[in-house]
């Protein structure tokens, strides 16, 4: 027996009929409105202007309605004073670099720090210009002495083998 023989063909069904709701089904009330429907409460749009409730203006000079002085709430912070002492540090590094470069050739980084600090100190308005100039000169001398030591050592290595 085939599958077609076992199952009878359904008779043509009538058009679907929608029955009215029964008594146990409650109709939706007004509280269950569609999403996005206004349900009371705030009536002003979020971007609407706010109404001015009281107008205020400065009092006329010489009247009794002189307002108390306004206390400044947003003051700029006092600028930090520039610190002094960079020229002294530059001089200390330059002297240290000179002392080291008199004995070894690897003292040039100390002199280089002294020279850079002296140049920065010359650009600052509160630093001692004389001290910064001395630091610059001594720092350059320490770099030159270090370079002399390094050249001497390089010559000794190639000559002596």
């Amino acid at each position: 027996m085939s599958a077609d023989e076992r199952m009878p063909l359904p008779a043509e069904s009538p058009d679907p009929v929608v029955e009215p709701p029964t008594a146990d089904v409650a109709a939706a009330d007004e509280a269950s409105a569609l999403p996005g429907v206004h349900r009371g409460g705030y009536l002003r749009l979020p971007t609407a202007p706010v109404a001015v409730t009281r107008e205020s203006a400065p009092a006329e000079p010489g009247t009794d309605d002189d307002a108390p002085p306004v206390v400044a709430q947003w003051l700029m912070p006092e600028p930090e004073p520039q610190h002094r002492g960079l020229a002294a540090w530059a001089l200390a590094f330059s002297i240290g670099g000179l002392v080291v470069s008199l004995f070894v050739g690897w003292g040039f980084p100390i002199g280089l720090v002294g020279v850079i600090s002296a140049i920065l100190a010359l650009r600052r308005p509160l630093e001692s210009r004389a001290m910064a100039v001395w630091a610059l000169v001594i720092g350059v001398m320490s770099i030159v002495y270090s370079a002399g030591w390094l050249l001497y050592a390089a010559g000794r290595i190639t000559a002596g083998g």
Side-chain angles (χ1 to χ4, degrees), residues 129-142:
R129 292 187 63 80
M131 194 179 300
V133 168
W134 275 107
L136 184 64
V137 169
I138 294 173
V140 168
M141 284 176 38
S142 72

Side-chain angles (χ1 to χ4, degrees), residues 28-131:
D29 58 350
E30 294 179 12
S32 61
L34 293 175
V37 174
H38 189 272
R39 296 180 182 167
Y42 295 108
L43 298 178
R44 181 176 58 86
L45 292 175
T47 57
V50 177
V52 176
T53 57
R54 182 180 143 225
E55 293 183 18
S56 62
E60 288 287 327
T63 62
D64 294 322
D65 296 337
D66 288 334
V70 177
V71 178
Q73 294 179 358
W74 303 101
L75 290 177
M76 290 292 295
E78 292 290 327
E80 291 185 21
Q82 290 186 350
H83 300 289
R84 296 182 66 180
L86 185 61
W89 279 103
L91 186 61
F93 275 110
S94 296
I95 290 173
L98 181 63
V99 169
V100 171
S101 69
L102 291 176
F103 299 104
V104 293
W106 297 108
F108 72 90
I110 302 170
L112 190 63
V113 169
V115 168
I116 292 172
S117 301
I119 292 171
L120 292 176
L122 283 172
R123 297 178 58 126
R124 294 175 72 176
L126 295 178
E127 297 293 334
S128 170
R129 292 187 63 80
M131 194 179 300

